[in-house]
Amino acid sequence: MQKPSFLTAQEIVIWDKVEAGEPLTDEEALFLYHSRNLGLLGILATIVRERLHGKIAYYNRNFHIEPTNICIYECAFCSFARKPGEPGGWEYTPDEIESIAASYVGKGVTEVHIVGGVHPKRGIEYYADIIRRIKRILPGIHVKAFTAVELKVMCARSRMSYREGLSALKEAGLDSLPGGGAEIFHPEIRQQICATKASTEEWLEIHRTAHELGIPSNATMLYGHIEKYEHRIHHMRLLRELQAQTGGFNCFIPLKYRKENNALSYVGEVSIIEDLKNYAVSRLYLHNIPHLKAYWPMIGRHTAQISLSFGVDDLDGTIDDTTKIYSMAGAEEQHPVMTTQELEELIRSAGYVPQERDSLYRPIHTATVS
Ligand code: V47
Ligand code: SF4
């Protein structure tokens, strides 16, 4: 692409690095976060996005199971968790989870995403049984399950090391890990928003172990609350470093903090401009993580559509209304569901080419029935 003539000296240096595919420094990422030139951020992120994926925008057909919202922790940003016996809490039995899975037989879904609260009593054996039951009902399904925060506690309950716990779950049919629980890695912020759950080092160790066992994973970042740009860059630097060692991250997912019904409500929410800026800087800084996902139930379908021009190449899935984490926190999509046709139309009308993918980003050309 022709370099515009109005760029400043520092913008020219960054433009040249982006075109050459060189990693940006922390200072350059900070400079971009402070830039008011949103158009330039979109162009730069699009150079990287199109080098990696052309005009393709991926989506998949998935559904969510949130086995329980009973949780031993009290993260300041969470609207979802309840203590045992508190109104609004739920715990599905394994039979109920089986019936949820059974309701998707023949519907062409390729992935189940399982994330929930950190239950005080359940260990690896319980969750391995759930995975086995789901795979018996939907044999072809990819099971992307359990954040590092959940895994830490279930391994401890079963007196297993991370390696032993993850190996047992893999044996039962676990295919990949979702990226949740990462929040913000910097200790100044982590201490204030989720002091007691898995630490940064534990989160990274669990993902490293998964990668070593051949279990790929995603990584998230909860942004737009009390953190500063420096904390976001520190977060992404740790991910970039682990990725350089293992190559196990498929995808990065920035999660916008939503403010309803939680203890951080007083900080409010950031603007859509901030969301787009954050996608662009993530795409530019995380040069070694192949995919950038806009999680549309969180930001709404229209912002997700614009995000395709700010570095995003994946709109996640045709999520059924089975996820409550974001609707309870005030996301616009109270019952998030989009059909394949709706998602494809959303992508096409933004000037991109829809491509259904499996959980490892391999194209699916015909409907797969599980
Ligand atoms: O870690 C909780 C977030 C995460 C709020 O891997 C909130 O494809 C915003 O793991 N505002 C769990 N975010 C979700 C998760 C996930 C989500 C999407 C895609 C993938 C993937 C994984 O939900 C938590 C936390 O960061 N969260 N409360 C809130 N009020
Ligand atoms: Fe529990 Fe997760 Fe909510 Fe924290 S974010 S309170 S770990 S459900």
Side-chain angles (χ1 to χ4, degrees):
M1 169 173 293
Q2 180 84 32
K3 202 183 309 173
S5 55
F6 54 76
L7 300 184
T8 64
Q10 186 149 15
E11 287 167 349
I12 290 172
V13 171
I14 293 176
W15 181 289
D16 289 342
K17 285 181 90 168
V18 169
E19 281 216 309
E22 290 171 25
L24 297 187
T25 63
D26 290 7
E27 294 68 32
E28 287 160 345
L30 190 59
F31 172 83
L32 293 175
Y33 265 132
H34 283 294
S35 168
R36 296 221 191 96
N37 196 340
L38 190 64
L40 176 64
L41 294 188
I43 293 169
L44 288 171
T46 299
I47 292 174
V48 177
R49 185 230 189 275
E50 293 199 356
R51 182 164 58 227
L52 292 171
H53 311 293
K55 288 276 181 200
I56 287 175
Y58 293 98
Y59 71 89
N60 72 346
R61 288 197 234 187
N62 60 9
F63 68 102
H64 287 217
I65 299 179
E66 291 165 353
T68 182
N69 65 344
I70 302 298
C71 188
I72 59 174
Y73 298 117
E74 292 176 20
C75 301
F77 53 81
C78 182
S79 320
F80 166 82
R82 296 289 183 274
K83 295 292 167 220
E86 200 184 330
W90 72 81
E91 286 178 68
Y92 294 134
T93 63
D95 286 347
E96 285 170 328
I97 290 177
E98 271 196 25
S99 344
I100 297 174
S103 70
Y104 288 94
V105 170
K107 295 217 174 133
V109 290
T110 60
E111 176 185 277
V112 56
H113 166 120
I114 313 177
V115 168
V118 181
H119 194 278
K121 296 210 178 104
R122 293 175 179 168
I124 293 287
E125 304 73 17
Y126 176 87
Y127 289 103
D129 175 53
I130 283 182
I131 295 175
R132 278 194 214 95
R133 285 170 178 245
I134 293 173
K135 285 234 161 152
R136 263 200 302 273
I137 294 167
L138 295 165
I141 200 96
H142 177 109
V143 175
K144 179 180 69 171
F146 315 129
T147 66
V149 171
E150 296 168 87
L151 288 164
K152 178 196 161 180
V153 175
M154 54 177 105
C155 288
R157 291 266 171 279
S158 300
R159 297 182 194 283
M160 287 179 172
S161 66
Y162 300 150
R163 186 168 292 273
E164 289 165 343
L166 283 165
S167 301
L169 292 172
K170 186 178 181 196
E171 179 73 30
L174 176 74
D175 295 297
S176 67
L177 304 188
E183 323 312 358
I184 287 285
F185 288 144
H186 198 287
E188 267 170 27
I189 302 300
R190 201 166 186 86
Q191 186 58 31
Q192 295 180 65
I193 62 171
C194 56
T196 52
K197 73 181 184 184
S199 66
T200 297
E201 293 69 30
E202 289 166 334
W203 191 98
L204 292 167
E205 195 48 38
I206 288 169
H207 281 257
R208 178 195 296 281
T209 308
H211 297 172
E212 286 168 1
L213 291 169
I215 305 170
S217 71
N218 294 337
T220 58
M221 174 173 77
L222 181 73
Y223 72 96
H225 43 90
I226 57 169
E227 89 293 357
K228 297 201 169 74
Y229 291 142
E230 285 83 349
H231 300 122
R232 295 190 205 173
I233 295 167
H234 169 265
H235 186 98
M236 292 192 286
R237 181 171 4 106
L238 297 187
L239 292 174
R240 193 163 96 164
E241 286 169 3
L242 181 54
Q243 179 73 343
Q245 293 163 27
T246 67
F249 289 119
N250 275 336
C251 173
F252 180 63
I253 310 140
L255 294 174
K256 174 186 185 139
Y257 164 66
R258 304 308 306 254
K259 73 175 172 54
E260 296 306 323
N261 310 313
N262 60 63
L264 273 186
S265 291
Y266 69 94
V267 302
E269 289 177 4
V270 296
S271 66
I272 291 175
I273 306 234
E274 193 59 41
D275 298 331
L276 298 177
K277 192 184 260 193
N278 190 60
Y279 283 122
V281 179
S282 307
R283 181 59 285 164
L284 292 164
Y285 186 81
L286 289 172
H287 67 286
N288 58 359
I289 298 190
H291 298 281
L292 179 64
K293 183 188 288 190
Y295 191 59
W296 67 264
M298 172 76 76
I299 55 171
R301 53 195 83 195
H302 299 300
T303 307
Q305 195 177 33
I306 304 169
S307 74
L308 294 172
S309 300
F310 286 81
V312 166
D313 64 281
D314 182 15
L315 292 189
D316 203 275
T318 51
I319 297 155
D320 223 320
D321 64 357
T322 42
T323 176
K324 298 205 179 65
I325 300 185
Y326 315 104
S327 54
M328 288 167 83
E332 290 77 9
E333 304 277 350
Q334 285 296 302
H335 302 289
V337 58
M338 257 202 268
T339 63
T340 307
Q341 289 74 11
E342 283 173 321
L343 250 177
E344 291 209 347
E345 191 41 45
L346 191 94
I347 292 168
R348 259 192 220 99
S349 62
Y352 287 87
V353 179
Q355 174 64 66
E356 183 178 353
R357 64 166 176 88
D358 69 10
S359 301
L360 302 176
Y361 289 88
R362 293 172 300 209
I364 292 179
H365 293 294
T366 50
T368 311
V369 177
S370 299

